[in-house]
Amino acid sequence: MQAEKRNDVVYRCIGDDFSNGILSCGYMAKETAARSQYDCCIDYYSCFVLLSGTGFYIDGEGNRTMLSAGSFVQRRPGELHSIEVVPDGRWSEFYISFGKNTYISMRELGILQIEQPVSYLSVTRDFHARFESLLRHLRSAQTDTLYQVLQQAQDLTVSMHHAAGKGQDVVRAAMAEACSLLGSDLSRNIQPEEIADRLCLGYENFRKQFKKEIGLSPAEYRLKEKIKVARLMLLDGNSVGQVARQLGYSEASAFSKQFKKNMGVSPARYKNTYRQ
């Protein structure tokens, strides 16, 4: 499904109190850095799913979270934050906003339980159809029927909220599988792009999600696994050359250089020092 790349938004208000009566949704394409929002604090609830592009969510303490396609961002009333757009012309989002009291009621009833402002969901065809439906109904609704559209907006928000929770479980399972693949067949020159392909993920999305979940890049994780196996092989009595060949190094000197860089000592010194 192609990401929508257009500016098409509708703003309505139920009653005279903007903070509690606002009801808005639509598509936003943000092509320049000027569309970023820094030190923003809104007095109503708003959420968006990023359909394409990249950027950062920055909380009130300055912690940065990378945003990419599928990122689901929830902006709570009264919470200081920033949204930074990477100005490559690719940013496209669909957002929903509704009043503060509506959000508080949903939260108190346990319908929205926001632990982290940024999560991830898979934007299915059904979601795209529901985005279009909500936008169409909000635009055409009579003032006395806006409450019906508010219910539709709440239902869609809850669906995205639940899908985001499931999405995080899917991401964690995929990253666990990636760790297994990166830690196996260490004699081969496996590239991270190959792992991404096997998981049916785009490389950039895979790399960012892996770093977020594991704390290392895919290449760093594979090297860590190689060093761990190398240490075990050296302690088991294998020669430096044997270890280098087993781990796919064309030359023992290249292995020795990388081992020393990570361990602080040469493999030969390590073997002589720690082998019982």
Side-chain angles (χ1 to χ4, degrees):
M1 175 69 70
Q2 280 282 71
E4 293 286 346
K5 293 185 179 179
R6 69 182 197 254
N7 287 297
D8 187 3
V9 304
V10 176
Y11 289 91
R12 304 289 297 271
C13 190
I14 303 173
D16 298 325
D17 184 345
F18 183 85
S19 295
N20 287 314
I22 183 174
L23 180 55
S24 179
C25 73
Y27 295 93
M28 284 190 178
K30 300 179 179 180
E31 298 181 349
T32 66
R35 299 298 304 277
S36 298
Q37 297 173 297
Y38 293 102
D39 297 327
C40 180
C41 186
I42 58 178
D43 55 3
Y44 51 88
Y45 172 85
S46 186
C47 66
F48 70 85
V49 59
L50 192 58
L51 303 175
S52 64
T54 56
F56 294 90
Y57 174 90
I58 309 167
D59 67 19
E61 297 180 352
N63 300 306
R64 297 166 67 88
T65 301
M66 171 71 78
L67 304 179
S68 58
S71 292
F72 179 56
V73 180
Q74 300 189 75
R75 308 167 74 184
R76 294 171 282 201
E79 187 170 278
L80 184 68
H81 65 280
S82 301
I83 303 293
E84 185 175 291
V85 176
V86 172
D88 57 5
R90 298 177 57 239
W91 181 290
S92 177
E93 68 178 65
F94 184 85
Y95 80 91
I96 299 172
S97 298
F98 49 74
K100 178 179 179 179
N101 283 349
T102 300
Y103 160 74
I104 291 173
S105 296
M106 295 173 72
R107 186 191 65 193
E108 291 181 347
L109 289 170
I111 298 171
L112 289 178
Q113 298 176 338
I114 305 174
E115 297 177 357
Q116 297 294 332
V118 180
S119 51
Y120 175 84
L121 62 84
S122 176
V123 186
T124 62
R125 289 179 180 273
D126 177 65
F127 274 128
H128 280 280
R130 293 175 71 180
F131 296 161
E132 294 288 348
S133 175
L134 178 61
L135 183 60
R136 183 173 63 254
H137 287 157
L138 183 57
R139 176 173 282 118
S140 63
Q142 300 297 315
T143 301
D144 61 356
T145 62
L146 280 175
Y147 72 93
Q148 296 175 340
V149 187
L150 173 59
Q151 183 63 59
Q152 185 180 358
Q154 289 176 270
D155 289 344
L156 179 51
T157 299
V158 170
S159 293
M160 290 194 291
H161 179 73
H162 289 166
K166 294 177 181 177
Q168 289 302 105
D169 291 339
V170 171
V171 168
R172 291 189 184 99
M175 295 308 104
E177 176 66 13
C179 286
S180 177
L181 294 169
L182 288 166
S184 63
D185 207 3
L186 294 174
S187 63
R188 284 186 57 216
N189 182 25
I190 297 178
Q191 297 299 315
E193 291 84 352
E194 181 180 339
I195 304 298
D197 286 343
R198 292 180 66 173
L199 296 174
C200 300
L201 295 171
Y203 172 67
E204 281 302 315
N205 183 36
F206 164 64
R207 182 180 63 81
K208 291 167 187 172
Q209 293 294 340
F210 190 92
K211 178 80 172 182
K212 180 179 178 180
E213 288 292 322
I214 308 301
L216 300 170
S217 71
E220 290 170 338
Y221 183 86
R222 186 163 174 82
L223 176 59
K224 180 179 74 73
E225 291 297 295
K226 281 192 173 188
I227 297 299
K228 180 174 71 176
V229 171
R231 293 170 67 184
L232 292 172
M233 291 183 68
L234 290 168
L235 294 178
D236 201 36
N238 291 276
S239 69
V240 173
Q242 287 173 321
V243 176
R245 287 191 295 274
Q246 188 68 25
L247 295 180
Y249 290 88
S250 57
E251 296 180 357
S253 59
F255 162 67
S256 295
K257 182 178 180 179
Q258 198 162 64
F259 187 95
K260 185 173 183 179
K261 182 179 179 180
N262 282 268
M263 295 301 300
V265 296
S266 69
R269 178 87 176 265
Y270 180 87
K271 178 180 178 180
N272 293 333
T273 303
Y274 295 102
R275 186 168 183 252
Q276 300 297 319

